Amino acid sequence: MRGWWREISGLVLPGTCEGCGAPRTALCAGCAGELAGVGAGEGGGGGRVRPLPEPEGLPPVHAALPYEGVVRELLIAHKERGALGLAGPLGGALARAVEGAVRAVGGGGGRPLLLVPVPSSRGSVRARGHDPTRRVALAAAARLRRAGRSARVVPVLRQRRAVADQAGLGARGRWANLAGALEVVPGGARLLAGGRVVLVDDLMTTGATLAEAARALGDGVRGRGAGTGFVHPPFTSGAAERSGSDFAQHEFEQRVAAVIASSPASFEINRNSSGTWIVAGGER
């Protein structure tokens, strides 16, 4: 209810820009341009991102923008303050990251793009009044369809156990907190057939959430539920057990992740390495 009330009241009451505080607009032209990557050069400022240390099992991640300044304010406003009108512009940034991620593995071959959002806990959805990652993923899929790409959101991941608040945890603490926490819903693996799967989130910091989501997808596709206690990081050369055809396994190992923003450090690390680029992401 809180989020819906904010969205309705924003239509009739003068507000301020969620990015910079400019009066009488929820998103000023300058902040909208920054979110769209205007002036950031080719690719809108996005590219490949890698956290340091990089968790085992993390798929290639692309982010649209660094998590700082206006971008940080807009993501927080959407997620925590219920600024639902920002979902469209944020979805545009995520769509750019998805396009970059798919180009990096060959363009998708004309297959539908299947955006799999990292799930929020039921408690956080209740507290916020909405599911921010799923909302932005839906906006990104709509933006991709308007651009001529076949795209849809496939929310097949869910939490199978409670996790602690990630705030204040380092990279190792986050991985330990999340290991084995996600699973594919019953019948979810069938929904992923025939498309290019892209894990999506709003923000990536340590990469622990996306690595766990990739692990859960891997077990789901191979018919191994998270309840077995088997925690296997996918996307690792030579580590995957063969189940089904080699072609199907190869297709899964090519999947990627996209986020809206990543920590500036993950961009700086890549810019200091030759031949690397960055794109967009999300992690809670």
Side-chain angles (χ1 to χ4, degrees), residues 75-212:
L75 280 169
I76 291 173
H78 177 255
K79 177 184 280 188
E80 305 296 349
R81 299 200 296 271
L84 305 185
L86 295 176
L90 291 170
L94 181 58
R96 295 202 316 274
V98 170
E99 288 278 26
V102 172
R103 280 197 303 270
V105 291
R111 291 177 296 154
L113 299 180
L114 307 179
L115 310 189
V116 178
V118 171
S120 300
S121 68
R122 292 180 181 177
S124 66
V125 171
R126 284 195 300 270
R128 291 168 176 157
H130 72 127
D131 186 334
T133 303
R134 186 167 179 176
R135 183 179 291 272
V136 172
L138 288 167
R143 181 70 64 92
L144 289 163
R145 289 194 296 271
R146 288 196 295 272
R149 298 296 301 259
S150 176
R152 64 181 184 271
V153 176
V154 189
V156 297
L157 289 176
R158 68 181 180 187
Q159 288 194 347
R160 60 178 292 267
R161 64 167 176 81
V163 297
D165 188 347
Q166 298 273 72
L169 296 178
R172 291 183 182 276
R174 290 188 178 211
W175 174 251
N177 183 41
L178 290 166
L182 301 180
E183 66 181 356
V184 173
V185 301
R190 292 195 299 271
L191 300 177
L192 303 178
R196 168 67 70 189
V197 173
V198 184
L199 275 167
V200 295
D201 207 343
D202 57 354
L203 170 69
M204 183 182 76
T205 50
T206 66
T209 301
L210 287 171
E212 167 58 16

Side-chain angles (χ1 to χ4, degrees), residues 16-22 25-28 31 69-71 73-74 77 81 86:
T16 59
C17 176
E18 298 285 0
C20 68
T25 178
L27 182 64
C28 72
C31 291
V70 165
V71 174
E73 292 302 316
L74 294 175
R81 299 200 296 271
L86 295 176

